[in-house]
Amino acid sequence: MEEVKDENTYKGFVDRLTLGITRVLENLPGVLDVRFAEKAPAEKRCLLSWEQKNNCALPEDLRDFYLTTDGFMLAWNSKLENEVVPVGCMVINSVAHLRPLIQSNVYSLPNAPTLADLDFDDDLQESDGPEQPHFDCRSRIFELDPCNGNGKVCLVYKSCTPGVMAQQCEVWFLDRSLFWHYLTPSFTAYYRLMITHLGLPEWQCNFTPYGPSPQAKQWAALYQPLTFYGDPHLDASSEPLLNKLDPAKAFRGKAKPPTPKKKQPAQVPASGGNTAKGQGVSWRHSVTKR
């Protein structure tokens, strides 16, 4: 009896933490192996140590998240014919892996460029969007999700002053070409966005000008048809990518000509002598019908 109670308690905890997405995934056709990694809550001293070490204050919602679970990982597979393919993956790094964004040791040569050398001037940034993060001391950037190598989701503190604890943060997506793309103003908004997109491959690329890859769009069209859209991202012929089959566009070479009418109107001779006669016949038919 106690085991059943513990199992129900665990399922209730998972449902609350994942907003019920595990049950949704299990009911989707072809979805297999929905795996949720249960993690113990983080200790308060670990959170205080992180804030002192990085001179940044964790936002209240992210602090509450870590006091509930030290990180997040939910993955699921899909079965295509007889092959099982890994598809969805949702990751939030633990406190220990919430590390500053630094360059790899491969580039640790004396004259190698740093991330700060790749920073763009403020004049080149778009004025209508939010201010982009910087790789130098003006911003403090921490990795939330490695995105399976397709970029990085980062917790970004902007307008930082040396020696002063940073307070406000946002969530941004850094693509593989080191361009920034704004996601959400808070961790809670990003968390809901991640759950809504089911952890599908490259879902963060929906917030970029180029969009996800064609394969990722196929997965989204299969498992997320209600929220998937292709209008902002056009193909090579500048036509919208539709999430449904349009025969008029897909089978242009097979379009049938219009069926001719059985009775064709009599051709009018060049002299125009029979014009009145034709009109009179037509008029008499109309009178008869009345």
Side-chain angles (χ1 to χ4, degrees):
M1 188 67 180
E2 292 181 357
E3 293 181 358
V4 175
K5 184 177 180 180
D6 293 340
E7 184 178 356
N8 293 334
T9 303
Y10 172 74
K11 289 184 177 180
F13 167 75
V14 173
D15 284 343
R16 290 193 303 272
L17 187 62
T18 64
L19 306 181
I21 203 64
T22 53
R23 290 184 284 108
V24 173
L25 288 170
E26 290 171 353
N27 293 327
L28 290 178
V31 172
L32 300 174
D33 305 330
V34 180
R35 305 178 305 279
F36 173 74
E38 184 182 8
K39 299 184 179 182
E43 298 181 1
K44 289 185 178 180
R45 61 180 180 85
C46 295
L47 302 181
L48 293 174
S49 176
W50 186 92
E51 290 180 332
Q52 294 176 359
K53 178 181 178 181
N54 297 287
N55 205 17
C56 294
L58 286 172
E60 196 66 26
D61 54 356
L62 184 55
R63 178 187 295 272
D64 293 339
F65 171 81
Y66 280 131
L67 291 177
T68 304
T69 174
D70 190 9
F72 183 93
M73 201 287 291
L74 192 153
W76 53 278
N77 300 335
S78 179
K79 186 176 182 180
L80 297 179
E81 296 182 351
N82 296 325
E83 184 180 1
V84 177
V85 181
V87 179
C89 186
M90 312 179 203
V91 175
I92 301 293
N93 284 339
S94 62
V95 177
H97 291 87
L98 190 62
R99 299 168 180 169
L101 184 68
I102 57 176
Q103 64 187 41
S104 173
N105 293 330
V106 177
Y107 303 102
S108 59
L109 299 175
N111 297 326
T114 62
L115 289 176
D117 296 330
L118 303 177
D119 230 330
F120 292 96
D121 295 331
D122 295 338
D123 297 337
L124 298 179
Q125 296 184 5
E126 298 181 359
S127 57
D128 55 346
E131 179 187 356
Q132 293 191 2
H134 297 277
F135 293 114
D136 54 17
C137 61
R138 289 174 288 179
S139 301
R140 297 170 190 170
I141 306 168
F142 306 93
E143 181 181 323
L144 276 176
D145 182 3
C147 301
N148 290 326
N150 295 317
K152 294 180 184 295
V153 174
C154 299
L155 189 72
V156 177
Y157 294 82
K158 296 186 299 185
S159 302
C160 298
T161 304
V164 178
M165 178 169 286
Q167 300 290 336
Q168 302 295 328
C169 63
E170 300 169 340
V171 181
W172 288 70
F173 176 64
L174 179 66
D175 63 18
R176 297 180 65 178
S177 58
L178 299 181
F179 278 92
W180 289 103
H181 308 280
Y182 178 77
L183 292 180
T184 59
S186 66
F187 171 77
T188 300
Y190 171 76
Y191 186 79
R192 291 180 179 273
L193 203 62
M194 177 185 69
I195 295 294
T196 303
H197 285 82
L198 307 179
L200 287 164
E202 304 177 28
W203 70 264
Q204 296 91 351
C205 293
N206 286 310
F207 300 89
T208 65
Y210 47 81
S213 64
Q215 183 179 5
K217 290 180 180 178
Q218 291 179 350
W219 285 118
L222 180 62
Y223 287 111
Q224 201 186 23
L226 295 180
T227 56
F228 171 73
Y229 58 91
D231 294 342
H233 313 302
L234 304 179
D235 59 6
S237 59
S238 299
E239 296 182 353
L241 300 172
L242 301 178
N243 189 25
K244 60 182 180 181
L245 178 63
D246 188 354
K249 294 185 178 181
F251 309 126
R252 290 176 178 174
K254 299 295 183 180
K256 295 182 179 180
T259 304
K261 296 181 179 180
K262 294 182 179 180
K263 295 182 179 180
Q264 297 289 345
Q267 296 181 355
V268 179
S271 60
N274 295 330
T275 303
K277 183 178 179 180
Q279 291 178 352
V281 173
S282 176
W283 179 82
R284 283 198 299 270
H285 280 296
S286 63
V287 173
T288 305
K289 290 181 181 180
R290 291 182 183 178

